[in-house]
Amino acid sequence: MPQIPSSRIEPPATAHGDQTRRRGAGALLLFLIAVPASYGLFASLADLWAHVEPLEGAPFMLASTLLGAALALAPLAALVGFILSVWYGVESVYLPRSRPTPLLDRVITGAGLLVWFAPTLITIGLAARALIEGRVHFVRPPRDYFLATDPIAFWQGLGFWLIMGSLFAFLAWRYWRGKLLREPATN
């Protein structure tokens, strides 16, 4: 049986790094849309609720459910968009792409490093602040441990911040270890 040549033209294969970069750009777009939407929803919540409150029965249930879902999903979409944009952006730097973008790769890598190591920097800052002020402050439950009046609890709180900072640094280093020691993909 003779093979009939296909008249359909196949699109060129896209490099995996390009696909990942597009996913990252889409997630960044989701983040950039969801943040103002979230802000707008929460800023105008009183006005929105003024329209929902006078309703009764099924329309009230539907409107309040939709408002609650919007209030829950918009910040969640912003968070997911941010995390995925950083993740896909960093991954795209180390995958083969159709054309090199060294400046954008450096910006993405720097932003990724800042995001991954930010919890470590924050806990180090909290530990340094505790040493300078002579007190460890916890928000929930609200507690203050002063070096002058309760040194054991103070040093335990300081140790907690240092242990958490070390844990965050270890987890970030585990992710970046294989990436920082190799060159970004060039093709």
Side-chain angles (χ1 to χ4, degrees):
M1 180 171 212
Q3 296 289 333
I4 300 173
S6 174
S7 62
R8 193 175 81 161
I9 298 173
E10 294 292 326
T14 306
H16 190 57
D18 293 334
Q19 294 172 351
T20 307
R21 180 78 49 99
R22 272 196 296 279
R23 286 185 192 129
L28 182 62
L29 183 62
L30 173 67
F31 171 71
L32 293 175
I33 290 171
V35 167
S38 298
Y39 178 77
L41 279 170
F42 282 97
S44 63
L45 183 58
D47 296 332
L48 292 172
W49 185 250
H51 294 301
V52 173
E53 189 177 22
L55 301 175
E56 294 179 4
F60 173 78
M61 292 298 289
L62 180 62
S64 61
T65 301
L66 290 175
L67 179 60
L71 289 171
L73 293 178
L76 184 64
L79 178 67
V80 167
F82 176 73
I83 290 171
L84 288 179
S85 67
V86 173
W87 179 271
Y88 283 133
V90 169
E91 290 297 318
S92 72
V93 170
Y94 297 98
L95 293 172
R97 292 183 313 278
S98 59
R99 60 187 170 93
T101 55
L103 180 62
L104 183 59
D105 291 348
R106 287 188 188 111
V107 169
I108 290 172
T109 303
L113 280 167
L114 181 66
V115 168
W116 255 268
F117 283 97
T120 302
L121 297 174
I122 290 169
T123 55
I124 290 171
L126 289 170
R129 179 179 164 195
L131 282 173
I132 292 169
E133 292 179 353
R135 77 176 176 111
V136 175
H137 174 71
F138 291 103
V139 177
R140 288 225 170 124
R143 300 274 190 266
D144 284 312
Y145 300 111
F146 294 94
L147 179 60
T149 58
D150 198 0
I152 294 174
F154 171 82
W155 289 111
Q156 287 175 343
L158 186 69
F160 170 77
W161 286 125
L162 294 175
I163 289 169
M164 292 307 296
S166 300
L167 174 68
F168 294 143
F170 173 74
L171 294 174
W173 176 246
R174 289 287 295 170
Y175 176 76
W176 282 96
R177 178 180 55 168
K179 296 182 180 339
L180 291 178
L181 301 178
R182 66 178 169 158
E183 290 293 316
T186 55
N187 54 1

